[in-house]
């Protein structure tokens, strides 16, 4: 049980870090400046393009925070599983 719990906690750490890195890439790709730089019509001389509003990413930010909070629960669970093995004292 201890090995499986530790492995799952480690996988949760990797998944949370990967999701946070992917979210950083999503933020960079969907920023108004980044989108306007990729639109071909905005590159012509005399053309003025502007972004109307920024994307709302608060739900995605919240999911990353809860992913890392869940990691805290998994690592706390390792302690309780360790205490149940009998190795802890």
């Amino acid at each position: 049980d201890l090995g499986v719990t530790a492995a799952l906690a480690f996988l949760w750490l990797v998944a949370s870090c990967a999701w946070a890195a992917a979210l950083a890439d999503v933020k960079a790709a969907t920023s108004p400046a980044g989108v306007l730089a990729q639109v071909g019509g905005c590159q012509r001389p005399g053309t003025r393009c502007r972004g109307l509003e920024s994307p709302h990413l608060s739900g995605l930010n919240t999911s990353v925070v809860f992913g890392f909070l869940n990691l805290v629960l998994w690592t706390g669970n390792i302690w309780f599983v360790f205490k149940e093995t009998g190795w802890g004292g």
Side-chain angles (χ1 to χ4, degrees), residues 30-71:
T30 59
S31 69
V35 171
L36 292 177
Q38 296 177 5
V39 175
C42 293
Q43 305 302 326
R44 294 187 207 138
T47 306
R48 184 171 168 251
C49 298
R50 63 183 176 93
L52 296 179
E53 67 180 60
S54 297
H56 302 285
L57 301 173
S58 60
L60 296 176
N61 291 334
T62 304
S63 70
V64 169
V65 169
F66 277 110
F68 282 108
L69 286 176
N70 199 3
L71 174 65

Side-chain angles (χ1 to χ4, degrees), residues 1-88:
D1 285 346
L2 182 62
V4 171
T5 304
L8 287 174
F10 176 74
L11 289 175
W12 200 270
L13 170 68
V14 171
S16 295
C17 291
W19 175 233
L23 179 59
D25 293 341
V26 167
K27 286 180 179 181
T30 59
S31 69
V35 171
L36 292 177
Q38 296 177 5
V39 175
C42 293
Q43 305 302 326
R44 294 187 207 138
T47 306
R48 184 171 168 251
C49 298
R50 63 183 176 93
L52 296 179
E53 67 180 60
S54 297
H56 302 285
L57 301 173
S58 60
L60 296 176
N61 291 334
T62 304
S63 70
V64 169
V65 169
F66 277 110
F68 282 108
L69 286 176
N70 199 3
L71 174 65
V72 171
L73 291 176
W74 273 100
T75 54
N77 194 25
I78 291 173
W79 172 252
F80 289 112
V81 171
F82 174 73
K83 293 302 271 183
E84 287 293 320
T85 60
W87 297 339

